[in-house]
């Protein structure tokens, strides 16, 4: 449990950003943790408007005027590459990137989660699992023993990642991907919705289908 309420903004006022707001509200129902000031968005047309009862405060430059410890950043952006770009832009400001885990997500004490990682409702993460920084684990996934998920990965709803598997940096799993035990997905590869990964997947490819296949 967090020992105090933290002021945060959600970067990204689109669909996933609004889901991150809901995640914070769910966590607050358990114990007050997050004071969500509003959204930050790169689209100037959204600035000054409201969504889900919170203002869009402005663009990234709004964060340039904050001081260390003033506000934390939660990413509400699904794309691994965009999260990496935003991290490179915002990390030098010295603001913090808290991780948020839904209070109903189930996990052992042997799960580590890096800065800025978001785990939404309905996830089950078992034991000796390492999840890096700026990762999204979206609704209703299972992640088995000894899995390693590196920085910037996005895991869409309903994925099943079996024991000993590894997702290298920036991997994106579509909805309902299944990975059989011990397989490795190379960095920045995309696995299409519904695929079953039965072999190691190289880096920088898109793989689809059952079994998952890709073009070199
Ligand atoms: C795999 C994926 C990334 C490909 O996207 P894309 O490059 O825009 O591909 P296209 O839609 O142009 O489709 C290209 C071909 O792949 C096929 N295809 C696309 N996605 C597929 C999938 N998941 N499984 C099987 N075939 C797929 C298309 O039918 C098409 O086949 P065709 O050339 O025979 O007509 C995308 O379709 C996908 O599955 N993304 C995951 C989305 C998701 O789950 N998001 C979660 C949001 S919370």
């Amino acid at each position: 449990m967090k020992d105090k309420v933290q002021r945060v903004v959600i970067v990204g006022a689109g669909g996933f950003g609004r889901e991150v707001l809901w995640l914070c509200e769910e966590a607050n129902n358990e114990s007050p943790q997050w004071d969500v000031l509003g959204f930050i968005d790169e689209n100037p047309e959204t600035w000054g408007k409201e969504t889900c009862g919170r203002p869009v405060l402005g663009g990234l430059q709004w964060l340039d005027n904050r001081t260390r410890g003033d506000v934390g950043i939660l990413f509400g952006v699904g794309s691994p590459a965009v999260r990496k770009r935003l991290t490179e832009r915002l990390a030098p400001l010295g603001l913090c990137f808290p991780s948020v885990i839904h209070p109903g997500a189930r996990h052992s004490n042997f799960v580590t989660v890096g800065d800025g990682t978001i785990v939404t409702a309905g996830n089950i993460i078992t034991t000796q699992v390492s999840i890096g920084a700026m990762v999204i684990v979206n609704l209703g996934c299972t992640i088995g023993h000894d899995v390693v998920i590196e920085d910037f990965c996005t895991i869409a709803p309903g994925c099943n990642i079996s024991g000993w598997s590894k997702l290298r940096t920036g991997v994106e799993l579509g909805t309902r991907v299944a990975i059989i035990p011990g397989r490795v997905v190379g960095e920045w590869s995309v696995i299409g919705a519904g695929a079953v990964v039965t072999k190691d997947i190289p880096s920088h490819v898109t793989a689809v289908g059952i079994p998952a296949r890709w073009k070199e």
Side-chain angles (χ1 to χ4, degrees):
M1 191 167 58
K2 308 270 176 188
D3 53 2
K4 63 179 174 110
V5 173
Q6 182 161 6
R7 288 151 54 94
V8 289
V9 293
I10 298 169
V11 175
F16 187 65
R18 286 177 277 123
E19 290 184 341
V20 171
L21 174 62
W22 178 59
L23 169 63
C24 293
E25 289 167 350
E26 290 265 290
N28 285 344
N29 288 339
E30 193 80 5
S31 68
Q33 297 173 40
W34 307 108
D35 176 10
V36 182
L37 303 181
F39 294 92
I40 298 295
D41 201 279
E42 292 188 291
N43 177 4
E45 289 177 16
T46 65
W47 299 350
K49 295 186 177 151
E50 254 195 19
T51 183
C52 298
R54 307 291 162 126
V56 182
L57 300 162
L60 299 177
Q61 56 277 23
W62 187 90
L63 291 163
D64 291 333
N65 301 323
R66 308 273 79 80
T67 51
R68 273 169 204 268
D70 184 21
V71 69
I73 295 170
L74 306 179
F75 281 133
V77 174
S79 158
V82 173
R83 279 202 309 286
K84 180 164 188 283
R85 174 174 61 76
L86 292 170
T87 301
E88 287 166 356
R89 163 73 172 79
L90 297 173
L93 301 180
L95 305 172
C96 65
F97 295 87
S99 58
V100 188
I101 299 177
H102 189 279
R106 300 183 67 183
H107 59 86
S108 70
N109 291 331
F110 305 101
V111 173
T112 58
V113 168
D115 286 347
T117 283
I118 288 177
V119 178
T120 67
N123 284 288
I124 302 175
I125 306 173
T126 66
T127 194
Q128 273 81 25
V129 174
S130 165
I131 302 180
M134 316 300 172
V135 169
I136 293 170
V137 184
N138 212 329
L139 305 164
C141 298
T142 61
I143 301 179
H145 62 88
D146 302 289
V147 163
V148 175
I149 298 171
E150 295 183 354
D151 298 348
F152 301 112
C153 289
T154 295
I155 301 168
C159 291
N160 301 119
I161 303 176
S162 302
W164 301 112
S165 303
K166 287 188 175 58
L167 305 185
R168 298 297 190 198
T169 301
V171 164
E172 186 167 1
L173 302 186
T175 300
R176 286 211 169 277
V177 167
I179 303 181
I180 71 166
R183 298 304 178 257
V184 179
V185 182
E187 59 180 13
W188 302 103
S189 282
V190 177
I191 311 297
V196 176
V197 173
T198 60
K199 296 179 178 166
D200 289 355
I201 306 282
S203 301
H204 301 282
V205 299
T206 297
V208 298
I210 303 174
R213 297 186 195 282
W214 63 94
K215 290 188 184 131
E216 295 289 352

